DNA sequence: GTTGAAAAAATATTGAG
DNA sequence: CTCAATATTTTTTCAAC
């Protein structure tokens, strides 16, 4: 689906606050609320808007520990492994990655002891992993809501950062 | 703030769908909508509900590449480094961690070339890092919305996974 | 702390142009 | 895309349990 500036403006507002009334969105982007309603509907149908969710503080729910876990998967057991990882309680993300690990996942646990249980009694025990690295999050300095949605310019291609030439050839890993 | 089962039921519904009408929540948890309204207000004020956000598909916005980046920070430059990382466009999360890296961050970019620009022209250039590892996400097998919110039982302590004894002593890293 | 009811305000939705 | 009418939801209030 093709997005124009108006769509992105709407997405930016809803990503920031999903409860922004259509009437207010309409005011801010200078259009009628019926139009906003129309566009939001199309964005939802097209899957651009995947859903509306309340962000809940994990600590309030008793999750005091969170970690990234890198896993090295034994050859040929990838499918198998991924299937079962998502079933484990506390694992909220499972990604296949390049680099040092084959899988990087995010884990939430009430405390260190529970994290240990998840890692040893669940993950390690299911087998198929050559090694793991647990990166416990000591603090989160920045955690944006969603992804940055550029305003104005319709072709965001060209301006990922502030600069923009750079002529190095490798794609950068392990330096 | 102390949460009871009712609060958690409300949180679960709103985390799943922030637009669930209070009246429907009331029906589902078998309470009056006035109570739901009351509780939601308190949960918001207490900061348990941090906000309501639309989840937008990064690909629809032109972000085809995402990666986790591990950074080793040179001694004494932590403060400095963190401050500036969050300013870099495309970096959506910055965490301090234990393990192999001091910092783990999440990056979103339109394509590989833009990721390279972010890493070399922005991150590497700011200095203060001993080395970095870029783990490009090849695929995401599972990405839950928020954290799991247990139902029923009021004391979630004790049942992080399915099992629950385990008597090993170290906290597990590099195996 | 919760309920039920009820009225007012705001918002969302729909249909015609 | 807009305007105007309609339907739904949220908010607020209050007496009662």
């Amino acid at each position: 689906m093709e997005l124009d500036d108006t769509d992105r403006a709407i997405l930016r507002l809803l990503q920031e606050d999903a409860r922004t009334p259509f009437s207010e969105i309409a005011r801010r982007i200078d259009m009628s609320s019926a139009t906003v309603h129309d566009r939001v509907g199309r964005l939802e149908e097209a899957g651009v808007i995947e859903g509306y969710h309340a962000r809940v503080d994990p600590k309030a729910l008793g999750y005091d520990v969170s970690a990234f876990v890198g896993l090295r998967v034994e050859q040929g057991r990838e499918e198998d492994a991924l299937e079962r990882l998502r079933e484990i309680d506390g694992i909220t993300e499972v990604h296949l990655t390049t680099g040092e690990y084959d899988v990087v996942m995010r884990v939430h646990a009430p405390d260190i002891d529970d994290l240990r249980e998840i890692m040893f009694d669940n993950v390690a025990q299911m087998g198929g992993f050559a090694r793991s690295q647990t990166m416990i999050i000591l603090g989160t300095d920045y955690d944006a809501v969603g992804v940055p949605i550029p305003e104005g310019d319709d072709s965001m291609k060209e301006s990922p950062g502030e600069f923009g030439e750079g002529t190095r050839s490798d794609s950068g890993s392990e330096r």
Side-chain angles (χ1 to χ4, degrees), chain A residues 22 25 41 50 59 66 69 81 112 120 122 145:
Chain A
F22 288 0
I25 296 175
E50 299 174 337
K59 287 204 172 142
S66 185
V69 176
I112 289 280
F120 288 111
N122 297 42
V145 169

Side-chain angles (χ1 to χ4, degrees), chain A residues 10-169:
Chain A
I10 292 172
L11 290 173
R12 201 174 323 115
L13 290 167
L14 288 177
Q15 183 174 80
E16 186 57 38
D17 182 1
R19 293 204 156 172
T20 311
F22 288 0
S23 56
E24 190 185 331
I25 296 175
R27 245 188 332 94
R28 295 223 222 165
I29 65 178
D30 206 54
M31 287 198 168
S32 78
S33 71
T35 300
V36 173
H37 174 261
D38 211 60
R39 296 225 181 200
V40 170
R42 273 188 288 116
L43 290 168
E44 287 172 349
E45 278 186 38
V48 177
I49 293 177
E50 299 174 337
Y52 303 93
H53 310 280
R55 206 190 229 210
V56 179
D57 178 15
K59 287 204 172 142
L61 289 166
Y63 293 101
D64 286 337
V65 174
S66 185
F68 287 108
V69 176
L71 294 172
R72 202 77 174 240
V73 184
E74 286 174 9
Q75 292 230 343
R77 304 197 52 174
E78 293 83 359
E79 307 285 310
D80 184 39
L82 295 171
E83 292 266 324
R84 287 189 290 167
L85 283 177
R86 77 170 65 185
E87 302 291 305
I88 298 174
D89 205 16
I91 295 181
T92 57
E93 295 177 42
V94 179
H95 307 275
L96 276 169
T97 59
T98 67
E100 195 168 359
Y101 310 106
D102 303 307
V103 172
V104 170
M105 55 191 201
R106 176 99 187 233
V107 184
H108 287 269
D111 57 44
I112 289 280
D113 220 56
D114 293 306
L115 178 63
R116 178 183 57 69
E117 280 184 33
I118 292 173
M119 289 305 299
F120 288 111
D121 299 338
N122 297 42
V123 179
Q125 196 174 67
M126 56 180 265
F129 303 111
R131 72 198 182 86
S132 74
Q133 164 96 214
T134 302
M135 295 160 273
I136 296 171
I137 295 175
L138 298 173
T140 295
D141 262 65
Y142 179 59
D143 192 358
V145 169
V147 291
I149 301 179
E151 56 188 322
D153 183 9
D154 206 311
S155 67
M156 62 178 289
K157 281 290 178 187
E158 204 54 54
S159 68
E162 319 301 74
F163 326 81
E165 356 73 64
T167 320
R168 301 178 70 157
S169 54

